[in-house]
Amino acid sequence: MKRSSGVRLCATAAVSALSLALITGCSDEGSKDSGNGKGGEAGKPAAKALSAAELGKLIIAKGEVPGFKVGPVEGGVPADDAVKADDAACDPLLDVLTGVAPGDPAANTSREATEDKKDPTDDATSMEDMADGKFEDAIKESMDLDVTVVTLSSYDGDGAEKALKAVSDAVKACSGGFSGVQDGEKGKFTKVAEEKSSGLGDESFAFTATNDAGKDGALPLHAELVRHGNTLAGYSTINIGAMMSKKAYTVSAPVLKAQDAKLK
């Protein structure tokens, strides 16, 4: 039985959920990095960054997010020089979307949180017995789960504030979309927009980057940065099943809540 190539590509893409090549498989996209660091107000001691070992104790771990499996990032987070936007002003957005720590962090670490699979609602015994429409619906249902990459990064001085501002400035500068490359894979976002953040931490900022290409229509990626002092928690969430079904989704609230609790 012939299957939709788009469905097969999306199913394969789920294995490495937040790589830009993933969305390219279902449609089209891009990538890279930027920011700054250092600082401290006059008369005040500069904030000292946490070490990688200290961040490792603070990032979410296995069993700490109800309804999610937490582990290493599938395929690893790309090196900051492996992702690059055609317009450097958009680099900070690709940092957050691909799990790269924005700005100039002293240390960073990442985890991936994958939502547990929901029980199937179709009582068919085999996907091979389904008609094409039913098969595609079953694929969408099986892939209707959030995959979130969490990156904790720590900065000297006011580097965390500067990194977050660089991302919020990039949303304005790149609202009309941008192109980029990750590990040789070219891609394109057609729209970037700020969205309501969780309001957690000392400050937070959220945005959506959307690709709108061909028959697949709008394919959004959701991201958020939450600052706790001189530590940033970056979140990038994708849900391929929701994308395919045109259902709304956001950065995973249980992941945000669990990580925020560890940073308080």
Side-chain angles (χ1 to χ4, degrees):
M1 182 183 299
K2 287 185 71 175
R3 305 300 188 197
S4 158
S5 61
V7 169
R8 288 200 309 273
L9 285 168
C10 286
T12 303
V15 177
S16 56
L18 284 169
S19 125
L20 256 97
L22 171 158
I23 302 286
T24 306
C26 305
S27 200
D28 224 2
E29 249 108 307
S31 6
K32 162 87 201 143
D33 113 75
S34 176
N36 356 63
K38 315 286 186 250
E41 293 179 30
K44 289 187 178 180
K48 187 80 173 100
L50 298 176
S51 68
E54 290 171 316
L55 290 176
K57 295 176 182 177
L58 290 173
I59 198 165
I60 53 171
K62 182 179 178 180
E64 293 183 342
V65 186
F68 286 75
K69 292 180 179 65
V70 177
V73 177
E74 184 79 32
V77 172
D80 60 2
D81 60 354
V83 286
K84 186 171 182 60
D86 290 346
D87 182 348
C90 307
D91 280 350
L93 303 180
L94 290 176
D95 283 345
V96 181
L97 291 170
T98 57
V100 174
D104 187 17
N108 60 274
T109 190
S110 300
R111 293 281 188 281
E112 184 172 290
T114 303
E115 189 176 8
D116 292 337
K117 287 193 175 182
K118 304 170 180 72
D119 292 332
T121 56
D122 198 301
D123 58 3
T125 57
S126 169
M127 284 195 175
E128 288 301 321
D129 295 332
M130 297 180 187
D132 281 347
K134 279 265 191 182
F135 174 83
E136 294 200 12
D137 287 345
I139 288 290
K140 291 175 186 176
E141 185 178 347
S142 69
M143 298 175 72
D144 184 9
L145 48 85
D146 291 349
V147 180
T148 300
V149 168
V150 181
T151 297
L152 291 190
S153 48
S154 188
Y155 303 75
D156 291 317
D158 61 355
E161 289 107 310
K162 287 182 176 179
L164 192 149
K165 185 177 186 302
V167 173
S168 64
D169 288 347
V171 167
K172 298 182 183 74
C174 307
S175 61
F178 63 96
S179 298
V181 63
Q182 176 183 322
D183 295 323
E185 290 284 346
K186 293 183 178 180
K188 180 181 179 182
F189 291 99
T190 56
K191 180 173 64 174
V192 181
E194 181 179 357
E195 59 184 1
K196 186 176 180 180
S197 72
S198 63
L200 297 171
D202 297 318
E203 60 177 327
S204 58
F205 181 81
F207 68 93
T208 302
T210 303
N211 173 268
D212 191 354
K215 63 182 180 58
D216 293 314
L219 301 174
L221 278 171
H222 298 277
E224 179 162 351
L225 280 178
V226 180
R227 183 177 66 82
H228 293 260
N230 62 337
T231 297
L232 279 183
Y235 306 85
S236 185
T237 297
I238 190 170
N239 184 318
I240 294 176
M243 283 180 172
M244 294 168 68
S245 300
K246 306 306 175 190
K247 285 170 51 181
Y249 75 100
T250 62
V251 171
S252 306
V255 178
L256 278 162
K257 183 178 178 181
Q259 184 58 77
D260 183 72
K262 294 195 74 170
L263 292 170
K264 285 182 177 177

